[in-house]
């Protein structure tokens, strides 16, 4: 399927947060109403780019998968654009682990499988809306991803759905020096 776009951005081979960083920069060069096509191979980019576009007021048009490439389409909406929000309540990963609330890992399933904090709950960003009922609104929730970008968007989403004790973990799993749990081949079966 070929969809007309005014500008194409190649983000193939990049992982979070780089597809969003490059998309943000490319959107600045477009005029209101133009469509940006972002080609990416990071499976998490679908949820990440859609959430980012929503958070700044651009229209996320959709994603088409062609072979192993995701083509995301975003329409620039300057008149509607809000300042990019960042989630205000942040916490360091070490402190979050010590406090004992729920560590919600919003990385993709494969990222989680190869190393996560023991006891963390995995709900990839793209599944968050559909799985909100698995979370308790009054529980302290520490949202973590690889770098802090996806978790920022997820924390905003949780708060918008009435969750009251949400924290974005910064800078994310890239800074974690503690023990990691991974799935053994027996656990994957």
């Amino acid at each position: 399927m070929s969809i007309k776009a005014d500008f194409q951005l190649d983000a193939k081979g990049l992982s979070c947060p780089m597809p969003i960083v490059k998309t943000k920069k490319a959107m600045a060069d477009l005029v209101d109403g133009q469509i940006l096509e972002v080609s990416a191979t990071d499976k998490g980019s679908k949820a990440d780019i859609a959430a980012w576009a929503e958070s700044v007021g651009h229209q996320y048009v959709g994603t088409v998968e062609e072979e192993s490439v995701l083509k995301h389409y975003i329409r620039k909406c300057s008149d509607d654009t809000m300042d990019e929000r960042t989630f205000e309540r942040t916490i360091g990963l070490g402190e979050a682990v010590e406090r004992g609330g729920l560590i919600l890992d919003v990385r993709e399933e494969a990222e989680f499988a190869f190393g996560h904090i023991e006891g963390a709950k995995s709900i990839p960003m793209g599944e968050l809306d559909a799985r909100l009922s698995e979370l308790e609104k009054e529980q302290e929730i520490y949202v973590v991803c690889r770098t802090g970008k996806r978790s920022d968007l997820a924390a905003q989403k949780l708060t918008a759905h009435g969750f009251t004790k949400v924290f974005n973990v910064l800078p994310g799993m890239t800074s974690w020096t503690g023990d990691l749990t991974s799935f053994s081949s027996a656990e994957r079966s």
Side-chain angles (χ1 to χ4, degrees):
M1 171 195 292
S2 180
I3 299 173
K4 183 185 177 306
D6 298 293
F7 187 77
Q8 288 82 29
L9 171 66
D10 184 356
K12 294 187 293 279
L14 302 176
S15 60
C16 182
M18 291 312 296
I20 294 172
V21 171
K22 289 192 166 284
T23 299
K24 181 179 177 181
K25 185 175 184 202
M27 290 300 283
D29 295 334
L30 299 181
V31 297
D32 192 37
Q34 286 186 314
I35 303 285
L36 173 66
E37 174 188 275
V38 181
S39 295
T41 50
D42 178 7
K43 296 293 182 195
S45 66
K46 182 175 182 180
D48 298 346
I49 289 176
W52 171 79
E54 179 183 323
S55 77
V56 297
H58 296 308
Q59 178 187 0
Y60 170 73
V61 178
T63 298
V64 175
E65 188 166 357
E66 294 179 354
E67 297 178 18
S68 62
V69 177
L70 298 168
K71 292 189 176 184
H72 310 290
Y73 296 89
I74 306 109
R75 180 179 169 271
K76 182 164 183 171
C77 299
S78 296
D79 295 338
D80 302 334
T81 302
M82 304 173 278
D83 290 331
E84 186 170 3
R85 300 179 310 237
T86 55
F87 195 73
E88 293 178 12
R89 288 185 304 242
T90 62
I91 191 169
L93 189 49
E95 185 181 350
V97 170
E98 290 173 10
R99 286 177 67 164
L102 173 68
I103 296 177
L104 177 62
D105 194 321
V106 296
R107 295 176 301 155
E108 290 300 303
E109 190 176 291
E111 293 174 284
F112 185 82
F114 282 97
H116 58 272
I117 296 170
E118 187 173 348
K121 180 170 186 67
S122 173
I123 301 180
M125 179 71 176
E127 299 174 16
L128 190 57
D129 282 328
R131 297 178 60 188
L132 288 173
S133 63
E134 296 178 30
L135 305 171
E136 296 176 30
K137 287 193 175 187
E138 296 302 319
Q139 182 177 22
E140 281 198 5
I141 300 174
Y142 307 108
V143 189
V144 66
C145 70
R146 191 172 80 81
T147 62
K149 186 68 177 173
R150 270 180 283 187
S151 56
D152 185 279
L153 297 169
Q156 290 179 49
K157 186 174 291 257
L158 288 170
T159 301
H161 281 90
F163 290 82
T164 58
K165 299 175 184 170
V166 178
F167 297 84
N168 181 25
V169 177
L170 292 176
M173 291 299 290
T174 55
S175 71
W176 180 243
T177 57
D179 292 336
L180 290 175
T181 301
S182 62
F183 292 122
S184 68
S185 56
E187 290 173 312
R188 285 188 221 127
S189 312

